[in-house]
Amino acid sequence: MQRYSAVFSFAFMLMVSTAASALLVPAAHAASNEELFNDARIAYKNRDDLSLERDLQQMQAQDYLLAPYADYWLMLLRLNQSDSQTVRTFLAQYADMPFADRVRGEWLKGLAKRQEWATFFDELPALKRDDAGVSCYALEGRAIRGDSDALAEGRTLWMSTAEQPANCLALYDRMQKNGALSNDLIWEKFRLLLADNKVSPAKLVAQRISTMDAAALKLLDKTYQNPQQALEKKTLSLKTRYGRELNLYALDRLARTQPLYALDMWQKLQASFEPAEQDYFWSRLALPAALSFYDRVPSAALDKEQMAWKARAALRVSDWSRLLNTIAEMPATQQQEAAWRYWKGRALKEQKQIPAANALLVPLSRERSYYGLLAEDELGDVLSAVPASYRPTSAEVEAVSAVPGIQRAMELQRYDMRWESRTEWAAATTGFDDKQMIAAAELAARQEGYDLAIITADKTTSTHDFSLRYPTPYREIVRGFAKEQGLDEAWIYGLTRQESRFMHYAKSGVGASGLMQVMPATAKWIAKRMGLDNYQNTMIHQLDTNVQLGTYYMRYTLDLMGGQSLMATAAYNAGPGRARRWMADQPLEGAIYAETIPFSETRNYVQKVMGNAYYYAHRLGTKILSLKQRLGTVGGGGGVMTTEEAEN
């Protein structure tokens, strides 16, 4: 008994001694929410679910607002091992979170892989987003369960040229085996893919043709690599469907860069093609092309985009009657687009049909857009001021800042999780009225989230805050380089807003970087011209260096384009050579030049930049010009002139 008492006494003394020592040693460092969240991101990336679970538990204990994202990542890692009730509980718990629908989509795919069709179809109606993988599984599942219409409905998915997940191939195999995927549909998709220059997917589609072999597929590679040589050496047969499709592809590729040569070759080969194939190529050759090309193509053979180019061809030569007729041939929904409402109004005005013109232009002029500004010009109110802006109260901003989704969005922005931040922001602001939108934009601007501020302020319909739609951050830097280069500050801001929404760390898919989205190779070339001997590629992300390089290039393109900011804007986006090639032989109204830019990306870019510049001039108090004056007149024969010069 004494032995046990001695042991107990020793243990008790050790415990007391340890406790006393603990008072003298600082407590272990408690991880912050930021550390836990970053660690959770790493754990998710490494598929370490145990570490992720520990991080989640600590964030939940501290009631961290981004803890649901760690729970979301953990669910994705364990989704295939989770039973249906566990997943349903998770989805119910986070029903209002943007990521819930992604979890539902991934769960549905797992159910389909395991052939759990009853649960799959029970849950499918709750999926909100479009997911090609789920759609393909749904059609395949319906077919397996005996739905005779499912495979026929799969033709819509088949005709899409967008990249699709691998499980769609099983659906298409089933469709082909059951006759729902005919050879005509296979050829049709083959042609669509080639029109988009998607050669690898086109080869996969072509392999569904029973007569296709490796040698035939190599001909496609040769046609892609050198279409002119393929045509001149006559290596492409005109006696087979495949050979004719390759000839059409080669001619189409040549038409993008050598339209006259392509036309000459086509006229030699045309008789070897079937009538429908001839109609197809004429429509491709005429996109964009001279108006005379469209005389050879029946309007019924033209799709929506080709109808737009037929109208632009009439516009290019100021054939207002032909323009009106072409707009009338467009689908009703296309006629209601702002572009065609404006140009129809212009055409009516040119034909002295003023009441009919005003019936279109007056309502359009109330829309705060590029075409709305042009419509306002036509009505004569060319120098009207921007409407007064609504300024949110502190209480309104505080009310918005208390919305959980807004809080999560701002916190995610801090971690540079831009996609997740925007998704949260969009979900949180859904249903906001104009004043709430403006308050949310103000909150974003205060946090220097200028992209969110602009996107949100742009959504208002009747009450606006133009200071949030057209913010002027980094004013001292921009003003300094504008003065150094002798540039219109409103134009610089208009271009920068379109390039990066003032997010100086922005990087495009093609590598353009920084506030003014300068390409690395262009930046290096500019730096050499400027004599910046110490320039390094990393400097492109420095705010002042980026603006210095961007404004220098703006000045350079402006000088190349004879001082015409419209063409210089096109040159900044697509290169000076293209901007010049898009000119006409005769002087061209700036709005017509912009409307007939062949690249839709550049066309939209130019229109938005010039519209932005109009609004920024009002904001900055610089020289006020109407949009039409800003667009000017593009001179023919290689020269350019301003509107004022054209009128004198």
Side-chain angles (χ1 to χ4, degrees):
M1 189 71 179
Q2 290 179 343
R3 179 170 174 267
Y4 289 111
S5 297
V7 171
F8 177 81
S9 299
F10 176 79
F12 177 79
M13 291 178 65
L14 181 62
M15 182 177 68
V16 171
S17 174
T18 303
S21 299
L23 296 175
L24 301 176
V25 179
H29 171 69
S32 68
N33 282 322
E34 183 173 349
E35 291 171 326
L36 289 169
F37 190 73
N38 282 325
D39 191 61
R41 291 173 72 183
I42 294 170
Y44 173 62
K45 182 179 180 180
N46 294 335
R47 304 189 65 80
D48 182 355
D49 63 326
L50 295 179
S51 295
L52 177 55
E53 185 175 25
R54 285 194 297 269
D55 293 331
L56 168 63
Q57 290 171 350
Q58 293 183 65
M59 283 188 279
Q60 287 175 330
Q62 295 169 193
D63 199 24
Y64 184 41
L65 79 166
L66 292 188
Y69 277 84
D71 206 1
Y72 157 57
W73 295 331
L74 187 61
M75 174 52 71
L76 287 179
L77 291 182
R78 294 178 173 176
L79 191 57
N80 290 334
Q81 291 78 44
S82 299
D83 59 44
S84 295
Q85 187 54 50
T86 299
V87 181
R88 287 192 177 109
T89 300
F90 177 90
L91 292 173
Q93 180 182 356
Y94 296 114
D96 296 331
M97 299 289 288
F99 57 63
D101 212 42
R102 185 193 170 192
V103 171
R104 181 174 282 106
E106 295 306 309
W107 181 36
L108 287 168
K109 292 173 191 175
L111 290 169
K113 287 178 184 177
R114 297 189 297 272
Q115 302 282 298
E116 297 178 27
W117 295 116
T119 306
F120 176 91
F121 285 107
D122 284 345
E123 296 295 331
L124 181 61
L127 185 68
K128 299 174 184 176
R129 65 193 182 104
D130 290 330
D131 188 312
V134 174
S135 297
C136 287
Y137 274 131
L139 291 172
E140 185 180 11
R142 284 171 54 192
I144 290 171
R145 301 176 93 190
D147 187 337
S148 58
D149 296 328
L151 297 182
E153 292 176 24
R155 292 168 187 165
T156 301
L157 278 170
W158 166 258
M159 293 309 298
S160 171
T161 59
E163 186 176 354
Q164 295 178 336
N167 71 284
C168 289
L169 295 177
L171 170 66
Y172 301 145
D173 289 344
R174 187 180 293 270
M175 288 169 58
Q176 189 171 9
K177 184 177 180 181
N178 286 271
L181 185 57
S182 65
N183 276 355
D184 284 343
L185 284 172
I186 293 172
W187 283 118
E188 192 172 347
K189 182 162 183 176
F190 179 71
R191 180 184 287 177
L192 284 173
L193 288 166
L194 290 185
D196 283 352
N197 221 28
K198 296 179 178 179
V199 175
S200 295
K203 289 169 73 174
L204 290 175
V205 167
Q207 290 177 44
R208 292 185 177 274
I209 301 296
S210 59
T211 56
M212 197 63 56
D213 56 25
L217 291 174
K218 285 183 180 179
L219 278 178
L220 175 52
D221 291 327
K222 291 180 180 178
T223 306
Y224 168 74
Q225 292 162 3
N226 196 330
Q228 184 171 340
Q229 185 180 81
L231 288 168
E232 291 178 346
K233 289 192 173 183
K234 299 181 180 180
T235 55
L236 307 174
S237 172
L238 289 166
K239 296 181 180 180
T240 66
R241 174 73 184 265
Y242 183 64
R244 291 196 302 275
E245 292 293 344
L246 291 188
N247 272 282
L248 288 172
Y249 175 53
L251 287 162
D252 190 27
R253 277 177 57 78
L254 285 175
R256 303 309 101 194
T257 56
Q258 303 178 64
L260 294 179
Y261 176 82
L263 177 61
D264 181 60
M265 290 293 295
W266 171 244
Q267 289 174 332
K268 295 176 182 176
L269 300 173
Q270 182 179 354
S272 299
F273 291 86
E274 296 179 1
E277 294 168 339
Q278 293 180 26
D279 287 346
Y280 168 76
F281 184 71
W282 276 118
S283 67
R284 293 292 298 176
L285 187 62
L287 178 66
L291 190 56
S292 59
F293 287 163
Y294 286 99
D295 292 330
R296 311 186 190 194
V297 188
S299 293
L302 301 178
D303 61 22
K304 180 180 175 181
E305 181 65 11
Q306 291 160 347
M307 286 298 295
W309 275 109
K310 183 177 180 180
R312 292 185 184 111
L315 185 59
R316 188 86 172 174
V317 294
S318 298
D319 189 337
W320 302 108
S321 295
R322 184 71 174 272
L323 176 60
L324 282 172
N325 291 336
T326 303
I327 294 174
E329 293 174 336
M330 292 177 175
T333 53
Q334 188 175 13
Q335 292 185 43
Q336 291 305 308
E337 293 173 5
W340 304 119
R341 281 185 284 142
Y342 170 71
W343 287 115
K344 182 178 180 179
R346 273 293 307 278
L348 290 168
K349 183 181 177 183
E350 294 291 336
Q351 294 190 332
K352 310 302 181 185
Q353 300 181 48
I354 305 303
N358 288 347
L360 289 166
L361 296 173
V362 169
L364 182 58
S365 70
R366 300 189 187 109
E367 298 177 15
R368 295 294 142 187
S369 66
Y370 171 83
Y371 292 106
L373 291 174
L374 287 177
E376 191 174 88
D377 286 354
E378 293 304 319
L379 295 169
D381 195 14
V382 295
L383 296 180
S384 64
V386 174
S389 289
Y390 175 82
R391 299 300 299 166
T393 65
S394 297
E396 287 173 321
V397 176
E398 288 174 9
V400 166
S401 69
V403 175
I406 294 289
Q407 293 177 346
R408 289 192 297 268
M410 300 305 293
E411 187 75 348
L412 288 163
Q413 183 94 333
R414 196 167 65 83
Y415 289 101
D416 198 25
M417 296 172 65
R418 298 182 68 197
W419 183 86
E420 292 85 353
S421 176
R422 286 193 178 192
T423 303
E424 283 276 10
W425 190 272
T429 56
T430 298
F432 274 18
D433 61 25
D434 282 355
K435 291 183 179 180
Q436 289 174 309
M437 283 289 189
I438 292 171
E442 174 66 24
L443 178 65
R446 290 179 184 180
Q447 302 294 324
E448 297 187 356
Y450 299 114
D451 56 342
L452 286 178
I454 290 170
I455 291 168
T456 308
D458 266 345
K459 291 180 179 178
T460 57
T461 56
S462 57
T463 303
H464 311 292
D465 185 339
F466 284 87
S467 67
L468 291 170
R469 283 193 179 193
Y470 301 96
T472 56
Y474 320 119
R475 183 75 192 276
E476 291 303 314
I477 295 175
V478 173
R479 180 189 289 159
F481 287 117
K483 185 176 181 181
E484 181 180 302
Q485 296 296 339
L487 294 174
D488 175 14
E489 194 178 349
W491 182 40
I492 297 174
Y493 267 110
L495 184 143
T496 306
R497 181 186 190 271
Q498 189 59 31
E499 286 286 357
S500 67
R501 297 288 193 271
F502 303 106
M503 303 310 289
H504 60 82
Y505 50 77
K507 187 172 182 179
S508 75
V510 294
S513 301
L515 205 68
M516 300 192 70
Q517 292 289 278
V518 183
M519 291 291 290
T522 304
K524 187 176 181 180
W525 176 81
I526 294 170
K528 185 176 181 180
R529 282 181 61 96
M530 294 179 66
L532 299 179
D533 297 331
N534 63 339
Y535 178 78
Q536 298 177 1
N537 287 337
T538 54
M539 294 171 67
I540 197 172
H541 299 287
Q542 296 174 3
L543 188 60
D544 55 346
T545 302
N546 192 275
V547 176
Q548 182 182 21
L549 296 170
T551 51
Y552 181 94
Y553 192 62
M554 288 180 76
R555 179 76 255 177
Y556 170 77
T557 57
L558 190 65
D559 291 341
L560 277 183
M561 301 300 135
Q564 224 287 356
S565 59
L566 168 63
M567 289 186 66
T569 303
Y572 194 96
N573 180 262
R578 289 194 179 104
R580 283 193 175 278
R581 286 199 297 273
W582 297 333
M583 297 169 68
D585 294 333
Q586 302 298 323
L588 203 61
E589 179 186 331
I592 295 177
Y593 172 89
E595 191 65 54
T596 56
I597 289 173
F599 300 159
S600 60
E601 178 189 335
T602 303
R603 182 169 64 255
N604 295 333
Y605 173 90
V606 166
Q607 291 174 344
K608 288 177 180 176
V609 168
M610 300 307 289
N612 292 346
Y614 168 86
Y615 285 112
Y616 271 113
H618 285 277
R619 277 227 61 206
L620 299 169
T622 57
K623 185 178 180 181
I624 305 299
L625 299 171
S626 72
L627 179 56
K628 198 169 182 178
Q629 287 173 324
R630 283 189 171 276
L631 295 173
T633 298
V634 177
V640 293
M641 63 187 80
T642 65
T643 301
E644 186 177 5
E645 290 170 332
E647 291 173 348
N648 293 333

